[in-house]
Amino acid sequence: MKKTGDDYFDSKEFRELLAEYENAKDTGMPVFMDADELSEIADYYQMNDRFDEADEAINLALSLAPGAIAPLTYKIHEALWKGDTDKAKEYLEQIVETDEPDYVYDKAEIMLAEERVEEADKYLRTEFKKVPPEEYQDYVVDVANIFADYHYPEQAMQWMARAHQEDSPEFKELMARTLFGLGKYQDSEKLWSELIDTDPFSKHYWNALASTQFMNENYSGSIESSEYAIAIDPNDPEGLLAKANALYRLNNFEEALKYFERYSQHMPDDEFGLMHQGTCLINLGRNKEALVRLEQALELAESYATDDVEADSPYLSDICQELAFGYSEEGDKQKAMQILDKADQHGADKVQTLVVRGHIMLGAGDVKKAEKYYRQAVVSSETPNNTLMRVIVSIYDNHYLEAAYTLFCKFFQIIPPDYNEGYAYMALVCYDLKKYDEFLSYLKTACERCPQECQVALSHIFPDDVEPKDYYEFLNRKK
């Protein structure tokens, strides 16, 4: 039995329970287990992507105890994962044990799935008044976990404030996740590091640390942490993906491609891996190979919409955009536009597709049509400054350097004083135009205001061991 990283599923107690269940199934003997035990087995199978076996175990549990809360909670979570809140409500109504905390949690989760956040919080606070004092801690921690799981970190932190501070790994992990959700990555990183000190062989902890470092733009640290997770489990998809993402951000597309490919070997139904294989190949100048991977990603992404539940991939718009760029590079403007039409049909960001349409038309030499699309994008945008900056970058990418320079000069005259983006790209334009004094001036501002943009726009100019925030000082020292 493979290690899961879950303390209970990896315990001797559960291993014996699972062996007893599987032995009974293999020999055709009756299964003498209660609904809770069968639900735990179903959870284990689901965690390991053995969905048919999970369904068999949970259906057996429901046949033995039709109104039992554990298997019905499993069914509720399954329905919510599919986005079917009506089915989840049907299962909730079947629960007999309505005085159990899990019933309260299930009802609140359905509210959160329907984005009724304030109603869920009010309901949970009302139910909290009924909780015996000796169960306060368990209740508030459970509720905080629910809000964290549904990506409502503010509410999670409010419930954490009601709890007694503990030094347990479970409590620290919840706090680390909540801080991560609040964008307090350094505080979160500190807690994950403390958890690793207590269990250095937890790939879950190493992957969480890698994600936190990634969000804190510490890509080298993220790679190192993900390597520990991969060393513990060479086939761990989360570790492989974490390393691939960090390598990609460092523009190491050759190595990133290898890890995205390894990730896709273990997660063939995840279009994210295929999409990024395509973007890596584009950056490596292997455009025809990229189009094959991106078409595979698009086919997979489109397959998620079903008759009863609308479940388009969240990456569908990005895949279409990359395909459009790819076909444009191949000189197939018509195919590129057809792909963008498809993106619009799937509810893609119209402003973004308009910018891409302008980019394609400009690349094809049709300046008038490009201007039309660019203008529509800026006028219809809720954040016109951001969109205008993307338009200017698109013009630069199409090698209209003087036009990009002129537009950026006007751009910096109209943006508010606290607007921090665009300076790194203007520095790049000045560098290419050999306006070195202006390059240094804009670089200095960019390093002070938006180091992340420096990483994206200027990293190819500087050695890998120089931090983006230090680019200006690096040149200043050399001078």
Side-chain angles (χ1 to χ4, degrees), residues 391-404:
V391 166
I392 301 172
V393 172
S394 172
I395 291 168
Y396 165 81
D397 286 340
N398 274 296
H399 311 296
Y400 289 81
L401 301 185
E402 290 289 353

Side-chain angles (χ1 to χ4, degrees), residues 98-234:
T98 56
D99 56 344
E100 288 293 317
D102 282 347
Y103 176 83
V104 175
Y105 304 153
D106 290 342
K107 189 172 180 178
E109 284 194 55
I110 293 171
M111 293 178 190
L112 291 176
E114 294 180 330
E115 299 183 2
R116 294 149 53 199
V117 185
E118 290 185 12
E119 186 179 347
D121 190 57
K122 183 178 179 181
Y123 169 69
L124 289 163
R125 282 188 279 111
T126 300
E127 292 299 317
F128 184 34
K129 296 173 184 176
K130 306 174 187 177
V131 174
E134 65 272 15
E135 297 176 16
Y136 281 0
Q137 182 76 353
D138 289 342
Y139 184 88
V140 296
V141 170
D142 287 343
V143 170
N145 259 308
I146 291 170
F147 277 114
D149 288 344
Y150 281 84
H151 308 294
Y152 293 107
E154 292 85 2
Q155 288 80 3
M157 186 58 79
Q158 289 170 10
W159 281 91
M160 290 287 284
R162 295 182 172 98
H164 301 298
Q165 299 302 300
E166 297 178 6
D167 199 36
S168 66
E170 295 79 13
F171 194 88
K172 275 189 177 181
E173 180 174 338
L174 175 56
M175 182 61 79
R177 289 170 55 216
T178 304
L179 289 166
F180 180 92
L182 291 169
K184 297 183 178 182
Y185 303 122
Q186 287 186 337
D187 293 333
S188 179
E189 181 176 340
K190 180 175 180 292
L191 287 174
W192 288 120
S193 297
E194 289 177 8
L195 286 164
I196 286 170
D197 289 341
T198 64
D199 186 0
F201 295 101
S202 170
K203 66 179 182 182
H204 168 63
Y205 290 163
W206 282 112
N207 282 326
L209 179 60
S211 296
T212 308
Q213 291 167 321
F214 180 89
M215 293 303 295
N216 208 31
E217 300 173 27
N218 179 8
Y219 303 124
S220 298
S222 182
I223 290 171
E224 184 178 349
S225 297
S226 64
E227 285 173 344
Y228 279 105
I230 295 168
I232 294 166
D233 180 0

Side-chain angles (χ1 to χ4, degrees), residues 404-417:
Y405 175 80
T406 301
L407 286 169
F408 262 131
C409 288
K410 293 178 179 178
F411 177 75
F412 291 122
Q413 291 173 3
I414 63 172
I415 58 172

Side-chain angles (χ1 to χ4, degrees), residues 237-261:
E238 192 176 349
L240 295 170
L241 183 60
K243 184 169 182 179
N245 283 332
L247 287 166
Y248 185 88
R249 283 298 182 93
L250 290 174
N251 296 332
N252 189 344
F253 301 115
E254 194 79 55
E255 283 299 304
L257 175 62
K258 295 176 185 177
Y259 280 91
F260 280 124
E261 287 174 336

Side-chain angles (χ1 to χ4, degrees), residues 37-54:
E37 292 171 327
L38 290 167
S39 298
E40 290 170 356
I41 290 169
D43 283 334
Y44 168 80
Y45 284 141
Q46 186 189 55
M47 176 184 280
N48 288 277
D49 297 332
R50 296 162 65 178
F51 300 113
D52 290 341
E53 292 165 285

Side-chain angles (χ1 to χ4, degrees), residues 299-310:
E299 182 180 355
L300 191 58
E302 289 184 310
S303 71
Y304 292 146
T306 60
D307 293 336
D308 55 336
V309 179
E310 187 65 25

